Amino acid sequence: MLPIRRALRHAFLAATLTALLPLGGASAWAQEGPQLNLPRLKLGAGMYQIDVQVASSALERQIGLMNRKDMPQHEGMLFVFEVPAVQCFWMKNTLLPLTAAFVADDGTIVNLADMKPQTTDSHCSSQPVRYVLEMNQGWFAKKGIKAGQKLRGAPFDGR
């Protein structure tokens, strides 16, 4: 009886994993080029305007800025999560040095983290957040944008 249970358990596990792979498990790792056709919106940071791509699905967030060879200085990617949580990012298959701004619901930058390309070093928010804005590394520092300052734009209006 025990070998039958074990075989059923293994078959169930294999079927479950196979069913989950199309939801993003293998897709992001097989991503050959950058995702460039995400929805866009404008954000404000101090006196500066940022054009961001919005990554809101699990797969879009997983792919992020992977395989991008360059990005204009006024552009970035806004990662949108369903609920606030401690968010951690790493840079596997990401070619650009980036800075992540971990952002609260009201647009307040909670903390900033410089991230080296092509590493699996983890960079986390210091408290639960729903948004993470990635920009070219050094953009926030050059513009004098620091933790505690607020971003403006549709996601943060009225919060």
Side-chain angles (χ1 to χ4, degrees):
M1 189 70 150
L2 188 59
I4 293 172
R5 277 193 192 156
R6 187 176 298 138
L8 288 173
R9 192 173 341 136
H10 287 280
F12 175 75
L13 181 59
T16 302
L17 289 173
T18 302
L20 289 176
L21 282 176
L23 296 176
S27 301
W29 310 127
Q31 177 79 15
E32 291 182 24
Q35 57 182 352
L36 299 171
N37 296 317
L38 296 177
R40 291 182 176 267
L41 64 86
K42 303 281 187 199
L43 297 179
M47 61 188 242
Y48 304 99
Q49 188 170 355
I50 307 166
D51 181 22
V52 296
Q53 288 184 282
V54 180
S56 56
S57 76
L59 182 57
E60 291 167 350
R61 292 189 303 260
Q62 189 175 11
I63 296 168
L65 289 167
M66 284 183 181
N67 301 309
R68 290 274 307 252
K69 293 180 180 163
D70 56 29
M71 184 169 63
Q73 285 299 307
H74 68 284
E75 289 187 13
M77 183 171 284
L78 183 68
F79 296 80
V80 181
F81 296 87
E82 292 78 20
V83 295
V86 172
Q87 306 296 344
C88 294
F89 279 57
W90 47 274
M91 300 281 286
K92 185 175 175 91
N93 298 326
T94 305
L95 308 174
L96 304 171
L98 300 171
T99 300
F102 297 96
V103 184
D105 280 0
D106 69 351
T108 301
I109 298 172
V110 172
N111 64 295
L112 296 162
D114 285 340
M115 303 184 297
K116 292 181 185 176
Q118 300 188 34
T119 66
T120 56
D121 299 342
S122 189
H123 306 277
C124 301
S125 60
S126 60
Q127 66 187 50
V129 297
R130 186 185 317 257
Y131 304 100
V132 180
L133 173 61
E134 287 184 344
M135 298 290 291
N136 285 304
Q137 193 171 98
W139 186 90
F140 293 100
K142 288 175 191 168
K143 308 295 187 202
I145 309 293
K146 300 178 179 169
Q149 292 181 263
K150 285 191 177 186
L151 300 178
R152 298 178 315 279
F156 318 117
D157 293 345
R159 293 196 185 248

